[in-house]
Amino acid sequence: MFDLNLKTRFEKAIQHIDGHCFVLELSTLSDPLRSLRDEAVNAEKNTAELLQYELDAIELYPRNFIINPEKYKRRMPEFIDDYSQEKLDYYIERFSKCLNPQLKSRYGDILIDYQGKKIIKNKYDIFCVLVPLLLQVAKLATKENHDEYFYAIDQLSRATELCLCYKKEDMLKQSIEEIIRFLTGVGSIYVYRWVLEPTDILLTVMNSSKMKSMVDKDIIQLALRKLNEAREFWLKEKNYHLHLLVCYRLVTWNKKLQQPVADLNLEIGLSFELEAEHQQGRVEKTEGVKAGFLQKALRHYLKIGAIGKVNEMKVKLKKAYLAEQENELKAVMTPMTIPENLRHHIERILNGYRELESAERILEVFARDPHLNIDVPNLYLNVDAHFKEFILGAIIPTSIISDGRKIAQATEYEEQKELEFKRQYCGRLELQSIFLLMPIFEIMKVKGLTIELLLQKYLDWDFYEPKRERMIRTGFERFLAEDYISALHILIPQFETCLRDMFFAVNIPTTVIKEGELQYEQVFGEFLNRPEVKEALGIDIHKYIETVMVAQDGWNIRNNIAHGLASTVIFNIKYAIIIVHLFCILFNFKMVKNDQRESS
């Protein structure tokens, strides 16, 4: 049983809050109000409403154009625009009567930032009171053992933002004076970490066309001196993260002042290289972490056009990746149990081939059997479902390293989706080759498969070229002789040239113009990426060819063999039968009227 009514207790709670000098988070003052609000909901609805107004103000989390530069649009969340007139009038009254500078500035921030349809008179008068309040709170945050420098910076940047918005030079001068006071203490009173945001605020003022003169030469020299002190300090301390942040600020300042930045840019690259070795002082250093920082150095040197350093980073990076693959990565083998329904599905397909009367007939079915093609749209749906179930997989950046090179990287959702698609697609290709293509090939051999039968598919093709017959015959011979090294080295280039022959025959050029009127065969990957090629092949066959032949995040067999980078593991029946299957599919394309293409 309470001897005071709710309204009186509410007033006492407000007096208690007003008596606080400084708190890091205003929301820490909300518990007594929340308790009263819950009690008042059914007893005194008007008091409950006022309590909720107070809680809404206290528990807001404002944003800041310096602390949140990428996402910043306005100080307060957009939902304040839906506040009622009664609520806004309450904040106007509290703004005039409140004694707590933090809470008073919160009411002022809400009223200034409100962009709804309700009426708030005299916003300019609110601004004139709010800016000195913000500067007062900034001082409170840095004294009396509070040491809340981030909070102080938030108040200083908000005060500066408002002065720029209202073009009030005398008040902007006060704000800059407080920033200078803060900045002067960096390195003595405050650690060098706190040099970043104050100099960012000053740079924002310099970027204001009408107010830039407020930052004079003495202020500029102070900012540059403090930034350089911090740069040297953090480099000496081997805190390369903060060293980089300061260097980036100096580059921005020097560009604004039209001063040279070449040495600073090289120092940024050096900082990445040093961190690659230091690795934030960790005892157990890894080649993977080293490669990560060298990759950042490479990206930076590319950006600034430091060609010599780019070449140096390429070598260092490849050595780091190779060392990582050799010493830090493990091959993980997991037993796989084939589900019974999948086993029956495979057997049904293979029994269908066993029932065919000849190898020739099997080759005809082999070329057009939908069971042997991966349904690309359906696989994309599976990937979408996978990411919905395991959302973390769509967030964590992913890279693929091969032979000491980063060949793929995904940071955005669509990139992650494509990388996961290729991973699943390549996995299905492996399974398809092992459980379907290789057994079907064994059935064909039992049924009398010969070189002549394979070659006849080419001789009967609408796009047959006599000059290629010998090479293709030799490739098939080496395949049937189980000489897969020779077979793949012959058949893969012949597949590419056969594909080019087909498109040339239907008046689709396979060349590009370079150096005036000279024609060059278009790079195979670029050729496959042309819209008319994709349309003619169809999505399933196009993805099959692209993944096997040229995709960096796929098998990339064509490019690896052409450049002598192919691993010995690909020269076996599992990969060779895939190439033969592609030939059979290609030889099934027919010439039709009006230069249209179709697969029979």
Side-chain angles (χ1 to χ4, degrees):
M1 186 81 181
F2 293 93
D3 59 346
L4 295 172
N5 63 39
L6 283 167
K7 186 174 182 181
T8 303
R9 286 157 56 205
F10 172 39
E11 291 171 353
K12 285 188 173 292
I14 291 296
Q15 289 173 10
H16 174 71
I17 291 173
D18 281 357
H20 281 272
C21 180
F22 176 82
V23 291
L24 176 58
E25 292 290 347
L26 284 172
S27 58
T28 59
L29 304 175
S30 65
D31 285 347
L33 297 177
R34 189 178 297 281
S35 176
L36 283 172
R37 189 274 317 272
D38 294 341
E39 189 179 339
V41 166
N42 298 319
E44 295 186 26
K45 290 187 177 180
N46 288 339
T47 302
E49 197 169 60
L50 296 179
L51 281 159
Q52 189 60 55
Y53 293 168
E54 202 69 45
L55 285 167
D56 287 346
I58 286 175
E59 294 177 350
L60 277 175
Y61 282 89
R63 290 164 288 202
N64 187 286
F65 82 101
I66 289 296
I67 298 170
N68 319 107
E70 285 133 15
K71 300 180 181 178
Y72 186 77
K73 292 181 180 178
R74 54 188 287 189
R75 177 70 163 170
M76 293 295 174
E78 288 77 5
F79 62 73
I80 71 165
D81 296 340
D82 297 326
Y83 283 176
S84 66
Q85 187 68 58
E86 292 75 17
K87 194 170 190 175
L88 295 170
D89 289 342
Y90 175 81
Y91 290 147
I92 291 170
E93 182 181 358
R94 287 287 289 137
F95 181 69
S96 67
K97 295 179 180 179
C98 182
L99 301 176
N100 182 317
Q102 272 183 286
L103 194 51
K104 190 180 183 79
S105 66
R106 175 62 56 83
Y107 301 132
D109 252 340
I110 294 171
L111 296 169
I112 284 283
D113 203 53
Y114 176 78
Q115 299 174 23
K117 297 179 179 179
K118 309 298 187 298
I119 298 171
I120 297 178
K121 295 180 180 179
N122 303 320
K123 274 196 175 187
Y124 179 79
D125 293 338
I126 294 171
F127 153 73
C128 290
V129 176
L130 179 56
V131 169
L133 277 173
L134 293 167
L135 300 181
Q136 180 187 353
V137 175
K139 287 182 181 179
L140 289 172
T142 56
K143 71 178 185 179
E144 297 181 8
N145 297 319
H146 293 137
D147 295 340
E148 295 298 344
Y149 307 126
F150 215 59
Y151 199 100
I153 288 165
D154 172 72
Q155 304 299 294
L156 292 173
S157 61
R158 176 57 172 168
T160 305
E161 177 189 14
L162 288 172
C163 292
L164 291 172
C165 180
Y166 282 87
K167 300 178 176 60
K168 188 72 171 170
E169 288 193 13
D170 57 337
M171 300 191 91
L172 179 59
K173 183 178 179 182
Q174 294 176 37
S175 182
I176 292 174
E177 285 173 355
E178 285 303 314
I179 295 168
I180 292 169
R181 182 188 67 81
F182 186 97
L183 194 56
T184 303
V186 170
S188 54
I189 303 173
Y190 320 126
V191 296
Y192 280 114
R193 156 65 187 87
W194 301 110
V195 75
L196 299 170
E197 290 82 6
T199 52
D200 285 349
I201 300 171
L202 292 175
L203 195 59
T204 301
V205 177
M206 289 180 65
N207 289 330
S208 172
S209 59
K210 294 184 178 180
M211 298 289 205
K212 60 184 178 182
S213 61
M214 301 293 290
V215 181
D216 60 26
K217 290 182 179 180
D218 290 339
I219 298 173
I220 291 171
Q221 289 305 312
L222 173 65
L224 292 176
R225 186 174 77 251
K226 289 297 179 180
L227 284 169
N228 276 304
E229 285 176 10
R231 177 182 62 82
E232 293 171 2
F233 177 80
W234 292 124
L235 184 60
K236 182 180 178 182
E237 291 293 311
K238 296 184 178 181
N239 190 324
Y240 298 113
H241 172 67
L242 288 176
H243 173 254
L244 280 165
L245 291 178
V246 172
C247 284
Y248 282 128
R249 282 347 187 262
L250 280 167
V251 167
T252 305
W253 272 87
N254 281 9
K255 284 182 177 179
K256 181 66 180 178
L257 300 170
Q258 298 182 331
Q259 298 296 316
V261 295
D263 289 344
L264 279 168
N265 272 325
L266 288 174
E267 188 168 325
I268 289 171
L270 174 64
S271 194
F272 283 125
E273 292 184 63
L274 292 171
E275 189 70 284
E277 300 295 338
H278 182 62
Q279 299 184 19
Q280 298 177 336
R282 65 198 296 182
V283 176
E284 295 183 4
K285 296 176 172 56
T286 69
E287 294 294 331
V289 172
K290 180 179 181 179
F293 283 108
L294 289 175
Q295 187 75 45
K296 291 181 178 181
L298 174 63
R299 189 181 303 120
H300 175 72
Y301 287 135
L302 280 168
K303 184 178 178 181
I304 65 173
I307 303 303
K309 295 298 294 185
V310 167
N311 291 331
E312 183 184 333
M313 288 307 102
K314 286 179 182 178
V315 175
K316 285 186 175 182
L317 195 54
K318 184 167 185 177
K319 287 180 179 178
Y321 280 137
L322 289 172
E324 180 188 26
Q325 287 179 269
E326 183 177 351
N327 303 320
E328 296 169 11
L329 301 184
K330 294 181 180 179
V332 179
M333 300 183 67
T334 305
M336 183 178 71
T337 302
I338 303 175
E340 197 63 28
N341 61 337
L342 179 57
R343 191 188 302 274
H344 290 320
H345 176 70
I346 292 170
E347 277 304 309
R348 279 197 301 272
I349 294 171
L350 295 180
N351 284 334
Y353 281 93
R354 292 187 186 106
E355 292 170 1
L356 296 173
E357 66 277 8
S358 65
E360 183 177 6
R361 177 66 182 135
I362 291 174
L363 279 174
E364 291 176 8
V365 176
F366 190 62
R368 67 183 70 175
D369 189 348
H371 294 111
L372 305 183
N373 290 332
I374 297 171
D375 186 338
V376 171
N378 185 61
L379 184 54
Y380 272 116
L381 291 176
N382 290 344
V383 171
D384 275 331
H386 171 78
F387 277 160
K388 287 177 182 176
E389 185 175 358
F390 303 103
I391 189 64
L392 196 62
I395 298 172
I396 300 174
T398 306
S399 300
I400 298 177
I401 309 299
S402 175
D403 195 31
R405 297 172 294 125
K406 181 186 284 190
I407 59 172
Q409 178 171 305
T411 54
E412 302 298 327
Y413 175 79
E414 288 302 320
E415 295 171 339
Q416 294 278 30
K417 179 180 170 182
E418 190 62 30
L419 211 57
E420 176 62 19
F421 170 85
K422 282 292 175 61
R423 187 190 70 79
Q424 291 193 25
Y425 190 96
C426 290
R428 291 197 183 189
L429 278 182
E430 295 261 2
L431 297 176
Q432 179 174 285
S433 180
I434 293 168
F435 294 113
L436 289 174
L437 299 187
M438 289 167 61
I440 291 170
F441 175 60
E442 292 300 319
I443 295 169
M444 280 193 279
K445 287 200 295 185
V446 171
K447 298 278 186 177
L449 179 65
T450 63
I451 296 165
E452 282 67 28
L453 284 176
L454 284 171
L455 187 63
Q456 193 61 45
K457 299 291 291 182
Y458 179 56
L459 299 178
D460 294 340
W461 192 34
D462 285 0
F463 308 101
Y464 164 74
E465 286 286 342
K467 61 185 177 183
R468 311 214 188 282
E469 180 180 342
R470 182 180 175 186
M471 288 294 289
I472 292 174
R473 171 188 286 276
T474 302
F476 287 148
E477 281 179 353
R478 300 325 303 155
F479 169 71
L480 291 178
E482 300 182 8
D483 177 7
Y484 301 120
I485 293 178
S486 299
L488 289 177
H489 275 84
I490 295 170
L491 290 176
I492 286 174
Q494 291 305 308
F495 177 85
E496 177 181 342
T497 199
C498 285
L499 189 70
R500 292 179 187 273
D501 288 345
M502 180 179 78
F503 280 100
F504 178 74
V506 293
N507 298 326
I508 293 179
T510 64
T511 57
V512 290
I513 304 295
K514 295 182 180 179
E515 300 175 16
E517 299 177 358
L518 301 182
Q519 290 194 57
Y520 295 80
E521 284 295 328
Q522 190 170 21
V523 174
F524 194 37
E526 294 177 1
F527 175 71
L528 285 175
N529 204 38
R530 284 164 55 173
E532 64 270 34
V533 174
K534 288 183 176 181
E535 182 183 356
L537 294 174
I539 187 170
D540 291 344
I541 294 174
H542 174 267
K543 190 64 71 174
Y544 192 4
I545 296 170
E546 179 192 56
T547 303
V548 170
M549 293 292 187
V550 298
Q552 282 256 63
D553 50 1
W555 284 4
N556 201 24
I557 290 179
R558 180 263 185 202
N559 291 334
N560 286 337
I561 285 181
H563 299 296
L565 301 173
S567 168
T568 55
V569 298
I570 73 164
F571 296 108
N572 58 43
I573 179 61
K574 181 173 70 176
Y575 293 93
I577 190 62
I578 288 277
I579 304 304
V580 171
H581 185 229
L582 283 173
F583 264 107
C584 290
I585 291 172
L586 184 63
F587 294 160
N588 206 42
F589 275 81
K590 304 292 184 183
M591 179 89 78
V592 294
K593 294 179 181 180
N594 299 324
D595 289 341
Q596 299 295 310
R597 283 77 61 198
E598 69 175 16
S599 178
S600 63

